[in-house]
Structure formats: C-alpha cells, structure tokens
Amino acid sequence: QRAGHASPPVRVLHYGSAGFNLLSGGLDCALRLSSTIVDAQNCELSQGAGLARRAQERGVDVETLKLPPVVAIAAQELREADWDNVVTLHRGEKAARTWRFANRAIGKHVLLPPDAAAAGTSLSHVG
C-alpha cells in the first residue's frame, strides 16, 4: 500500500549514490524515506519507540509529541551501518537531530551549537 506525507513536503533530498531514494520532511512533522523503485521500502523514520504509548498515557494525539517540521536535511550513506548518518533541523528548534538511516529511526545525538541556533546542515564523506 502506498503511503506518503499527510501534508506537503518542505524539504526533499536524494539519498544514496544510486539516487533511487528520497528523504523528505513535511509539514506533517514526519521524516520519510521514499524509494523510486520499490514501494515496499517507503516508510516514516521513527521518532522514538513508544511514541504512541506515551501519547495514549498523556491523553494527547501522537502528532503533538512529534518533532516540529523539518527545515533542513543532510545525509551521507558512507558507513551508514556504523553511526548516525542523517542530520535534520526542525522549525523553532535550536538544536540539530541525528538519525540512523540503517535503523530507520532517530539517532542518539542532539547537536546544540554553543552560543546560537543551528542555521544549516552538512555532512562530509567522513561523517
């Protein structure tokens, strides 16, 4: 079954050297992987285990616990199995968030610049 953003995408990035995958962030607060070849690979990257359970415990909608919409994305496929290899900036957030593409989930790191808000994203071939 096809699935996509519930609201328009704001940022889209080709992922991988073959160019068959797209990472996109939308106004629906989701970071999604879309394959141009295999529909079965399309998915939303997880914003944390138990997000639905926490929303139910608090009596709120899951959308209220999600990160704000993505305003910038950078990714590097080299050594994606070894560490977080996607970084995003989110509307109204000072910090950048890392994601692990291999796990299709949010990563371990929140990158906060020392004296300012993050304004852009970039990743080199060495991470």
Side-chain angles (χ1 to χ4, degrees), residues 44-62:
E44 180 177 342
L45 277 67
S46 172
Q47 291 193 22
L51 195 64
R53 185 187 77 248
R54 282 187 306 223
Q56 184 177 19
E57 289 170 355
R58 295 178 185 175
V60 297
D61 187 42
V62 173

Side-chain angles (χ1 to χ4, degrees), residues 19-111:
F20 299 134
N21 293 318
L22 299 172
L23 284 174
S24 57
L27 293 175
D28 58 358
C29 303
L31 180 62
R32 295 192 61 84
L33 165 68
S34 300
S35 170
T36 60
I37 306 287
V38 182
D39 283 342
Q41 292 179 353
N42 297 348
C43 67
E44 180 177 342
L45 277 67
S46 172
Q47 291 193 22
L51 195 64
R53 185 187 77 248
R54 282 187 306 223
Q56 184 177 19
E57 289 170 355
R58 295 178 185 175
V60 297
D61 187 42
V62 173
E63 301 303 313
T64 63
L65 297 180
K66 285 187 171 184
L67 292 168
V70 172
V71 295
I73 307 170
Q76 178 53 251
E77 72 174 326
L78 194 63
R79 297 188 64 175
E80 70 180 23
D82 296 331
W83 50 61
D84 299 353
N85 65 317
V86 177
V87 64
T88 56
L89 294 179
H90 298 264
R91 183 184 297 157
E93 298 265 312
K94 290 184 177 184
R97 306 288 178 147
T98 64
W99 301 77
R100 183 168 283 226
F101 185 83
N103 296 350
R104 307 293 197 266
I106 198 161
K108 298 177 183 177
H109 307 285
V110 177
L111 309 173

